Amino acid sequence: NGQITSNKINVTFTQRGASADLNGLYLIDKQQKSSTEVKVMHCSPDCTSRQLFKGIADDVSQADFQGHIFVDYGAKGTEALQSSKNMQLTDKAKVNTQPFLEIYNDDVKCSHGATIGRLNEEEQFYMRSRGITLEDAKVLQMISFIAPVLEQIPEADREFLAIQFEDSIRKI
């Protein structure tokens, strides 16, 4: 609920076989701003990193994501995946996403992707034809969109956070 939220994540792999799963989620509205910077440095062989960041922006809010995966010369066998998926609920909300790969080794599996989309009106129509209100259809779509990030949270905390996010989504 902060006006401005800023996250900087730096991971450096210095030992063979290390791994990290990085997941993030934002829900912003009104004039809120969210900024996420992620830098993952693969400096040793056979390391793995997986990133999944998702967000929903409403009203005149603004979200920025900058992701950088660096693979050093000696980091053979690296596997690095980066995904930034965003939903923009209004034309005035702004989402900027900049994934970046910097690779200096041929023996790697690396990918990045970024999307910015909207709620699916055809899915809403389908749900409404089954008796679901428009508001509930939108909420279901947004919960479905963020679910892959919520699934990464330990089960003991997941239900509490899912309820918190649903409450926040309903306020958007």
Side-chain angles (χ1 to χ4, degrees):
N1 290 327
Q3 191 63 18
I4 299 173
T5 305
S6 180
N7 298 295
K8 292 185 180 188
I9 303 166
N10 293 299
V11 176
T12 303
F13 294 115
T14 58
Q15 294 193 352
R16 172 181 239 121
S19 68
D21 288 316
L22 307 171
N23 302 285
L25 177 62
Y26 71 84
L27 301 170
I28 54 175
D29 63 356
K30 299 179 181 92
Q31 295 177 336
Q32 294 176 326
K33 294 183 181 185
S34 172
S35 173
T36 303
E37 295 178 37
V38 180
K39 188 169 189 176
V40 179
M41 308 283 290
H42 286 266
C43 300
S44 294
D46 303 318
C47 294
T48 302
S49 66
R50 286 177 291 282
Q51 300 177 45
L52 177 58
F53 289 85
K54 288 193 168 205
I56 300 173
D58 196 15
D59 299 324
V60 293
S61 61
Q62 180 176 335
D64 296 301
F65 175 85
Q66 293 179 337
H68 182 183
I69 294 173
F70 172 85
V71 180
D72 206 354
Y73 294 98
K76 67 178 179 139
T78 290
E79 185 174 330
L81 311 170
Q82 181 183 81
S83 179
S84 169
K85 298 181 179 188
N86 306 275
M87 190 176 287
Q88 197 173 321
L89 300 182
T90 67
D91 290 336
K92 293 184 179 182
K94 293 184 180 166
V95 177
N96 303 304
T97 181
Q98 299 172 327
F100 179 67
L101 298 175
E102 186 176 359
I103 302 170
Y104 297 101
N105 193 305
D106 291 337
D107 184 19
V108 299
K109 293 180 186 176
C110 295
S111 69
H112 64 64
T115 61
I116 301 170
R118 297 192 175 273
L119 292 172
N120 186 316
E121 291 180 11
E122 289 178 16
E123 288 178 9
Q124 291 171 20
F125 176 79
Y126 177 81
M127 287 187 269
R128 292 189 70 204
S129 72
R130 302 302 186 266
I132 297 172
T133 67
L134 179 59
E135 180 184 333
D136 285 345
K138 290 179 178 181
V139 168
L140 286 171
Q141 280 184 308
M142 289 186 266
I143 290 171
S144 175
F145 177 74
I146 65 172
V149 175
L150 292 176
E151 289 169 1
Q152 302 304 313
I153 297 170
E155 192 171 338
D157 301 322
R158 187 180 314 146
E159 184 175 340
F160 171 76
L161 288 173
I163 290 168
Q164 297 302 312
F165 281 112
E166 182 176 347
D167 288 346
S168 295
I169 286 172
R170 287 193 180 278
K171 291 176 186 174
I172 288 182

